[in-house]
Amino acid sequence: MKPTPWKLVIVVGALCGAGAAAAGQDTSKASGATLLVNDSDALGQQGDDRLALAEAIRLANGGLALAQLSVSERRQVRGVPGVGRADRIRFAVKERVVRFPLQIAKKPEMDFAVLQTKSFMPVLAGNGGDEIDGKGVRFTNGPDDATDTVNAQTLTSGAPLGGAALVIESSDFTIRNAQFERFIDGLIFRPATGAASMTNVRVINNQFHKGGGIAFSGVSAGHERSALRNILIEGNTFLGPAHFGGSFPSKLHTAIAVTGATAAVAKGAATAKDVVVEDVQISRNTVRAFAGGVQVQPLQTLFAANRGAVLNRLHISGNDIALDPEAGDPAVYIWGAVSVNGQVSDVRVTGIRIENNKVLGNGHVLFIAGVEALMGGDVATRNIHMEDIRIAQNRIASLKSCSYGITTIAAFPEMGGPPATGLSLKNVRVVGNTIEGCAIGAFSAPVLNVGAPGASSGNEIAGLSYEGNSISGAETGIVVTGGALTAEKFKGSAAIHRNRLSEVIVRDNRIGASKRGILVAGAFASGEGAGTLSGNVVGLVDVAGNRMKAGQSAPLCHIRAEFSQRSSASMVGNRVKGGGPDCVEGPSS
């Protein structure tokens, strides 16, 4: 569940195999100024002998004129800065550190509170084409020896945690080679008020230490729906407070978060345009000791209704993610939508690539869901469709307790959330992954209900393949089911009716498991949650070429119309159609 602008330009050259023109970057900006920041106080004092970061931002924004600076400050500016020009901000400060005004966040009473942050710096708005190149400069929240007078030093080791460093509302913007320390949010990106989109943003080779990471939003500064396009997040390092012996103020703390429309525009969602997120690349980043690694969600809502979102072409590749050992949320989490005591609908997602990542986590480690709906709401989620999903060549392992390595589901009602109707995933390929130490290596279902009442029906996964994966240390290697109820007791009763998983291929996987290699079930139930599963169907194309690893005595593949694992739910009329040479009819539990 869950999740300050500048300006400078540069020739981005070849990024991920594509030049600036191929990436759609605007290279027509007029040549701007080079602004050399030499004041270690981020705010500084206008008219003194040094140029501060805030003054450089205002010059680039067009909010400060050169004539308003002192002679010494003007010597730090080469060229004419301002709106419509490609300016560069660089640094020549003592000890390579710029200290921001100290912010201390009060730890909320709820572990999963949504934190609201602000920056004391000028917003980087209207800075299209600008670049900030830190060359290793440290941006710090106050002095290194600051005392946390609010939380009795319970948040981080050595210094308090709070606020946001910079807020960016500019397209064609690059920030690179800077280090952010002890901010809850290092960087916040959002379109400017009235902007049709934020495009061509590059966050490259930065470091985020002892605090939070970066967050993109498709909701503008004026609370309007907008678009995020051509976003590159590459080569950054995220080391959370836990890495330094401290703790986060909230468990909803993610290194990289990209969100389209949120509850901030929910009231106008019935007539508003779709929010659009397109061409996002998250590559070669390192994440350590965070509560969440990468989360992308085109639509979310809190205690309201929200609708209308598009996510096209998301590529997550070559990242190295190891969450905090106590983290419970997925390390990589892709939603079509998430609803907390509300309702969501009308989302289209296409072109998801999750490839060549190394991921360590707990619970569900790599999780793709059409919708997650939880904590109340009684209107069924509708019209959320995801297609063309490829999860390939990833290495996935358990930190402390991994329940599922790779999960792909259309509907995920949980914790009392509303049901789902008519959701779909199409053309899902899980290929060549290595999964170690998870109770279930890979799991797929049109509906996975974890303790939510109501009837989820008519949901579908069409075109699912598991090929060439290597799974070790599991109880069951791969589970494919038409509908699943996995919950202990909860208030109410669930119904999972007439959902379909079709065109399933399971080939050439190597599995080490204690109970079974592959389980195909029309319906799957575990726990004491009350409910009925009926009329759910799995359609197999082929299950062949799979084998158990040496020394494994568990059966290779079981097919079962209905599978119960310590469950009191009733099941009737569920089916598996088709089969393959690797499978036999299996036991019911």
Side-chain angles (χ1 to χ4, degrees):
M1 220 180 43
K2 160 166 179 223
T4 19
W6 305 46
K7 171 174 135 178
L8 332 281
V9 148
I10 48 184
V11 180
V12 176
L15 291 175
C16 302
Q25 182 159 339
D26 182 359
T27 58
S28 64
K29 296 287 182 180
S31 179
T34 296
L35 304 111
L36 190 62
V37 172
N38 64 344
D39 194 340
S40 60
D41 181 344
L43 290 179
Q45 184 68 42
Q46 187 176 320
D48 63 8
D49 294 333
R50 295 177 299 279
L51 184 69
L53 176 58
E55 293 166 331
I57 293 171
R58 292 171 61 205
L59 286 167
N61 283 349
L64 180 64
L66 284 171
Q68 296 175 270
L69 301 180
S70 69
V71 173
S72 295
E73 288 172 328
R74 288 200 297 271
R75 290 195 186 108
Q76 301 303 116
V77 181
R78 295 182 181 179
V80 181
V83 175
R85 296 177 175 272
D87 299 316
R88 294 183 181 214
I89 298 177
R90 297 180 179 271
F91 299 86
V93 292
K94 185 178 180 181
E95 298 179 349
R96 303 296 298 165
V97 62
V98 174
R99 302 198 183 280
F100 286 51
L102 178 65
Q103 293 193 66
I104 303 173
K106 185 180 186 301
K107 184 175 176 62
E109 294 182 3
M110 294 180 60
D111 284 340
F112 290 93
V114 177
L115 300 175
Q116 302 295 327
T117 61
K118 64 179 181 179
S119 174
F120 289 153
M121 300 296 290
V123 172
L124 285 130
N127 297 84
D130 288 6
E131 175 190 276
I132 296 174
D133 192 341
K135 298 292 184 183
V137 71
R138 295 168 57 217
F139 296 149
T140 71
N141 176 25
D144 291 342
D145 61 353
T147 300
D148 185 348
T149 58
V150 175
N151 300 285
Q153 297 182 331
T154 59
L155 293 189
T156 64
S157 175
L161 177 70
L166 298 173
V167 178
I168 294 94
E169 297 175 5
S170 300
S171 294
D172 303 301
F173 177 83
T174 300
I175 182 164
R176 63 173 78 231
N177 302 320
Q179 181 169 314
F180 297 82
E181 296 184 1
R182 304 189 309 273
F183 297 97
I184 288 175
D185 291 302
L187 296 169
I188 296 175
F189 293 88
R190 65 193 180 205
T193 299
S197 65
M198 168 180 274
T199 63
N200 302 321
V201 174
R202 307 289 182 259
V203 183
I204 304 172
N205 296 337
N206 301 284
Q207 297 182 345
F208 301 84
H209 288 179
K210 302 183 181 181
I214 58 180
F216 280 82
S217 173
V219 176
S220 78
H223 303 295
E224 310 142 326
R225 288 171 179 252
S226 185
L228 298 171
R229 292 188 170 96
N230 298 321
I231 308 298
L232 175 66
I233 304 166
E234 183 175 72
N236 304 282
T237 300
F238 301 83
L239 303 181
H243 191 79
F244 300 91
S247 62
F248 289 111
S250 170
K251 290 186 177 180
L252 294 181
H253 219 83
T254 300
I256 301 169
V258 180
T259 302
T262 67
V265 292
K267 291 183 179 178
T271 57
K273 64 181 181 181
D274 290 348
V275 68
V276 178
V277 180
E278 287 185 331
D279 297 309
V280 176
Q281 180 158 323
I282 301 170
S283 61
R284 298 193 298 106
N285 302 284
T286 299
V287 177
R288 295 289 184 272
F290 269 74
V294 177
Q295 294 187 3
V296 181
Q297 52 183 13
L299 186 72
Q300 75 169 29
T301 192
L302 303 172
F303 304 97
N306 208 349
R307 62 180 293 270
V310 175
L311 169 61
N312 292 328
R313 297 179 297 279
L314 168 66
H315 194 184
I316 300 171
S317 64
N319 301 284
D320 185 349
I321 301 171
L323 296 187
D324 182 84
E326 304 302 322
D329 275 354
V332 178
Y333 204 163
I334 313 301
W335 294 284
V338 60
S339 173
V340 180
N341 202 357
Q343 63 184 83
V344 288
S345 63
D346 303 320
V347 178
R348 301 183 308 280
V349 177
T350 62
I352 305 297
R353 301 289 182 268
I354 305 175
E355 301 172 323
N356 298 300
N357 302 283
K358 180 181 178 182
V359 187
L360 279 72
N362 298 317
H364 295 266
V365 179
L366 194 159
F367 196 100
I368 292 181
V371 68
E372 178 185 14
L374 67 161
M375 296 178 65
D378 54 11
V379 177
T381 304
R382 298 177 184 274
N383 196 28
I384 295 180
H385 304 289
M386 304 176 74
E387 64 178 327
D388 186 19
I389 299 166
R390 178 179 169 87
I391 303 169
Q393 308 299 327
N394 301 285
R395 293 183 59 195
I396 295 169
S398 173
L399 273 171
K400 290 181 67 176
S401 179
C402 169
S403 302
Y404 303 79
I406 297 175
T407 305
T408 51
I409 53 178
F412 185 40
E414 65 159 335
M415 296 173 60
T421 300
L423 279 57
S424 71
L425 267 60
K426 294 184 178 180
N427 300 322
V428 180
R429 295 194 66 201
V430 182
V431 181
N433 301 280
T434 299
I435 305 169
E436 300 176 350
C438 298
I440 296 176
F443 181 95
S444 189
V447 178
L448 172 58
N449 184 317
V450 183
S456 292
S457 63
N459 303 289
E460 178 185 25
I461 298 179
L464 169 70
S465 63
Y466 291 102
E467 298 184 71
N469 301 284
S470 176
I471 300 172
S472 301
E475 293 181 4
T476 301
I478 297 172
V479 174
V480 174
T481 180
L485 174 63
T486 61
E488 300 305 321
K489 292 181 179 179
F490 62 94
K491 294 180 179 179
S493 180
I496 301 173
H497 295 326
R498 297 184 301 279
N499 302 284
R500 177 179 295 273
L501 202 166
S502 61
E503 302 171 42
V504 178
I505 295 172
V506 185
R507 289 185 182 139
D508 301 324
N509 302 282
R510 293 188 67 232
I511 301 171
S514 61
K515 293 184 177 179
R516 62 193 64 81
I518 300 162
L519 173 64
V520 182
F524 179 102
S526 65
E528 298 180 6
T532 302
L533 297 93
S534 64
N536 303 289
V537 178
V538 174
L540 295 174
V541 173
D542 197 16
V543 183
N546 304 284
R547 57 196 172 102
M548 299 298 289
K549 292 184 175 181
Q552 300 291 301
S553 59
L556 176 57
C557 177
H558 280 157
I559 292 178
R560 187 68 187 175
E562 292 157 351
F563 182 87
S564 178
Q565 185 171 278
R566 300 182 302 277
S567 175
S568 59
S570 64
M571 293 183 281
V572 60
N574 303 285
R575 294 182 296 154
V576 175
K577 300 193 300 183
D582 291 348
C583 292
V584 298
E585 188 74 10
S588 60
S589 62

